[in-house]
Amino acid sequence: MSIKVGDKAPDFTLPKQDGTPANLKELLQKSAVVLYFYPKDDTPGCTKEACSFRDSYEAFKDAGAEVVGISSQSAASHEAFAAKYRLPFTLVSDEGGKVRSQYGVPSTLGLLPGRVTYVIDRDGTVRHVFNSQLNATRHVTEALNIVKQLTGKTAN
């Protein structure tokens, strides 16, 4: 069952790229969260998506949201990926795909882990879901527009 707009986002605690825990409930105490599931570190589409989030990161922060990327690679893989592309946001390791399953992120052709972005307000309610395996950079545009609508803040 997929998480839809209006649903409560399932809470999770997963290791960040530096090995420390990231907890969704704690993140939401500070800001809205843009949670994006992506297939794999350092692949062409995922790198393009991550760099697009990186390039818009200040706009997300100005609009009142934190960006969190999530995939099944290890924290060490995330750390190398983040360092290579100077990613300023958190990447969390969902080894085994438990959180991916809780959110109901579909696979593409039954093989590739899906690419889905959720915008979650500070109350933990999902306000937007965007699912597109091939249009990686559109995830950033969609999410930023929704965050601006939610928070009433305009980003620079």
Side-chain angles (χ1 to χ4, degrees), residues 124-151:
T125 302
V126 175
R127 295 297 178 185
H128 185 71
V129 179
F130 182 69
N131 179 354
S132 175
Q133 186 73 336
L134 300 178
N135 202 340
T137 58
R138 187 160 162 219
H139 287 259
V140 177
T141 309
E142 291 262 337
L144 188 55
N145 287 337
I146 296 300
V147 167
K148 288 178 187 179
Q149 289 172 25
L150 281 179
T151 63

Side-chain angles (χ1 to χ4, degrees), residues 71-106:
S71 77
S72 61
Q73 281 70 54
S74 68
S77 175
H78 287 341
E79 186 173 43
F81 183 49
K84 183 175 181 179
Y85 295 101
R86 297 181 314 282
L87 305 179
F89 51 86
T90 298
L91 298 177
V92 296
S93 176
D94 183 26
E95 289 186 272
K98 182 179 175 205
V99 174
R100 182 178 288 275
S101 292
Q102 286 178 314
Y103 277 77
V105 176

Side-chain angles (χ1 to χ4, degrees), residues 3 7-12 24-25 35 99 102-104 120 124 126:
I3 297 297
D7 290 347
K8 284 293 183 188
D11 191 24
F12 60 82
L24 180 61
K25 197 175 201 176
L35 181 66
V99 174
Q102 286 178 314
Y103 277 77
I120 306 166
V126 175

Side-chain angles (χ1 to χ4, degrees), residues 9-10 18 22 26 32 34 38 55 60 64 74 82 84 86 89 103 107 112 118 121-122 126 147-148 151 153:
D18 64 4
E26 288 176 11
V34 174
Y38 65 100
D55 296 346
F60 278 102
S74 68
K84 183 175 181 179
R86 297 181 314 282
F89 51 86
Y103 277 77
S107 295
L112 291 173
Y118 299 86
D121 70 16
R122 292 192 62 191
V126 175
V147 167
K148 288 178 187 179
T151 63
K153 296 179 181 178

